[in-house]
Amino acid sequence: MIRDITIGQYYPAESPIHRLDPRVKIVCTLLFLVSLFIQNSLPGYVIATIFLGCVISMSRVPVKYIVKGLKPIVILLMFTVVMNLFLTRGGDTLVHFWIFTITEEGLRTSVFMAVRLIYLVMGSSIMTFTTSPNGLTDGLEKLLRPLNKINVPVHEVAMMMSIALRFIPILLEETDKIMKAQIARGADFESGNIIQRAKAMTPILVPLFVSAFRRANDLAMAMEARCYNGGEGRTKMKPLRYKAQDRWAYVITVIYMIVIFAVGRFVPFKLWIF
Amino acid sequence: MKMIHAEKLVYEYDKRDEEGNVIGTNRAIDGVDIDVPQGSFVAVLGHNGSGKSTLAKHMNAILVPTGGTMWVDGRDTRDPAELWNVRQTAGMVFQNPDNQIIGTVVEEDVGFGPENLGVPTDEIWKRVEDSLRSVGMLEYRKSSPNKLSGGQKQRVAIAGVIAMEPKCIVLDEPTAMLDPNGRREVIRAVEKLRKEKNVTVILITHYMEEVIDADQVFVMDDGHIVMHGTPREIFSRVDELKSYRMDVPQVTMLAEELRKRGLDLPRGILRREELVEALCRLR
């Protein structure tokens, strides 16, 4: 079950989205995330859905795979929906039952909120699915390079990120292994209240941390052995250069942003879903 | 021409108690002299804690000697100005395949070394392709290392070192964590490299079967080099090897036992075919 977490992983495939410059993907993803927050109406969400749908189908990442990435946020999602559903007041009352009241406004907010959250995760996971972590790191490094002037260690941070991403599946596998080993020794992770369960995690976390440190040590040694010496004097195997397709991607995203903005701003009527 | 040359090499580290106070020093390597000519295949054998991995780490300047000197291609590893040259000259492959792969795509990992060296982009691509081909992993160039088997990962790690075009490859127990199939894969890849690229190979291992093709074998015990010679010379001294807690290849063992029971077999039989031949000659 723990290995089902697909968020943040790279899905190798040949697609126009995969071939885009990582910088384009980072900037456009950020713009897409912003677009989810500057509007809150049905037409806006329809446009966002179309945009996201097109990107997903172009990326050739199976939808099932992307949906699997939503698993970790299910609880957060349900919490948000429930809170919004019962606590937002406004419009006609749809259901009134004891102390619970569901209003039109509440239903609307909670549905939009859920969609927003789901799109948020899907949008950003499309970026990680289609960009190899090294690409992502290179992109970030180049985008943030100006920060070098104020002594931000951009290269180091980028390198750390890419290594972290590389080790996610390895550590997950390890967690799985340790869990099974502890279960075989009679550990119980399934029963008890939340505090007892949290306490039961200790025999997993301690060995996991120990092994993570050991791995970090090994990896640092392996990197040094391969002449890694910080960002200076390094060349790139895949240097980033904007191509025609990248310019088009920017153009399309900017057009999308303008449309979304216009819809959020100038569509005066409230369109109800129901 | 000496690729690796060590004189009276000593490596000491502090022994500490539980509070971290120094309570003495441990000698992991104690007065080792070693000489590896260019282009040769040298194996270092030893059981756990014999100091063989510590010795390997000296060849790449990951550790620097506390006494004596280590030269790699004529460069003193203690000279900080030569550090990166030493590391480029002697590439190193480690034991754990997962902990030495940095890239998330096979080809990016192989490109990591050349990138660090500042090799121009076109040249990096050429080297990546070449080195992946020479370990037989070219078809996996776009895959994620997590999806590979242990033997394949280790071959990628070797390709990553080859791409830096070292004169010498140090393999620090590259097969210790692999199954027999993976082990064979890796050893075969190393052999092929040696023939095609004429690189010096130093193989640290405790599997005897892997060293029978070596030009020279060093056996380490407790920080010392206790035996040195060709594989045939080493394996003819079965009892001595056993005293250093080393196993002997099964064929050699069988031949030795038969010899002790009075069969007229030569010492130091390494391969099954040799034993068959020797047995047939008995009649």
Side-chain angles (χ1 to χ4, degrees), chain B residues 227 234-235 237-246:
Chain B
M227 290 169 85
I234 297 286
F235 289 135
R237 289 143 74 182
V238 173
D239 293 330
E240 202 180 337
L241 271 175
K242 278 194 163 168
S243 74
Y244 300 121
R245 283 173 283 171
M246 302 294 303

Side-chain angles (χ1 to χ4, degrees), chain B residues 110-127:
Chain B
V110 177
F112 180 76
E115 281 183 336
N116 291 336
L117 298 177
V119 175
T121 303
D122 303 340
E123 172 75 14
I124 296 182
W125 282 92
K126 221 164 49 203
R127 286 193 188 188

Side-chain angles (χ1 to χ4, degrees), chain B residues 150-183:
Chain B
Q152 288 172 327
K153 279 183 211 166
Q154 213 56 314
R155 272 149 68 199
V156 170
I158 293 173
V161 169
I162 297 295
M164 296 168 70
E165 300 191 337
K167 291 184 184 166
C168 165
I169 305 180
V170 183
L171 300 120
D172 184 7
E173 298 196 60
T175 56
M177 296 177 77
L178 306 181
D179 57 17
N181 276 333
R183 234 150 58 201

Side-chain angles (χ1 to χ4, degrees), chain A residues 132-134 166 169-170 215 218-219 221-229 233-239, chain B residues 57 60 62 84 87 94 98-101 103-104 107-109 112 115-116 118-119 121 124-125 146 164:
Chain A
S132 79
N134 275 25
R166 145 104 179 96
I170 294 176
R215 280 180 194 282
D218 279 7
L219 187 76
M221 200 157 64
M223 286 171 76
E224 266 195 50
R226 281 161 80 181
C227 294
Y228 179 71
N229 189 16
R234 275 193 104 211
T235 44
K236 294 277 177 203
M237 182 180 180
K238 298 172 176 172
Chain B
K57 283 176 189 134
N60 192 264
I62 287 173
W84 303 106
R87 291 200 176 148
F94 296 90
D98 278 322
N99 296 357
Q100 57 181 320
I101 293 184
T104 22
E107 59 178 11
E108 284 179 6
D109 182 70
F112 180 76
E115 281 183 336
N116 291 336
V119 175
T121 303
I124 296 182
W125 282 92
N146 295 323
M164 296 168 70

Side-chain angles (χ1 to χ4, degrees), chain B residues 1 9 11 82-83 95 151 190 193 205 219-220 227 263 280:
Chain B
M1 181 68 194
L9 199 70
Y11 183 74
E82 295 281 19
L83 178 65
Q95 188 182 67
V190 172
L193 276 179
T205 185
V219 179
M220 285 192 74
M227 290 169 85
L263 284 184
C280 290

Side-chain angles (χ1 to χ4, degrees), chain B residues 206-258:
Chain B
H206 59 256
Y207 291 110
M208 297 289 191
E209 291 80 3
E210 292 170 2
V211 310
I212 51 181
D213 288 322
D215 300 319
Q216 287 185 74
V217 178
F218 292 89
V219 179
M220 285 192 74
D221 186 59
D222 201 20
H224 302 271
I225 288 195
V226 287
M227 290 169 85
H228 170 216
T230 64
R232 205 169 293 278
E233 285 162 13
I234 297 286
F235 289 135
S236 54
R237 289 143 74 182
V238 173
D239 293 330
E240 202 180 337
L241 271 175
K242 278 194 163 168
S243 74
Y244 300 121
R245 283 173 283 171
M246 302 294 303
D247 292 316
V248 181
Q250 270 180 353
V251 186
T252 315
M253 199 64 226
L254 178 62
E256 181 68 16
E257 291 295 324
L258 289 172

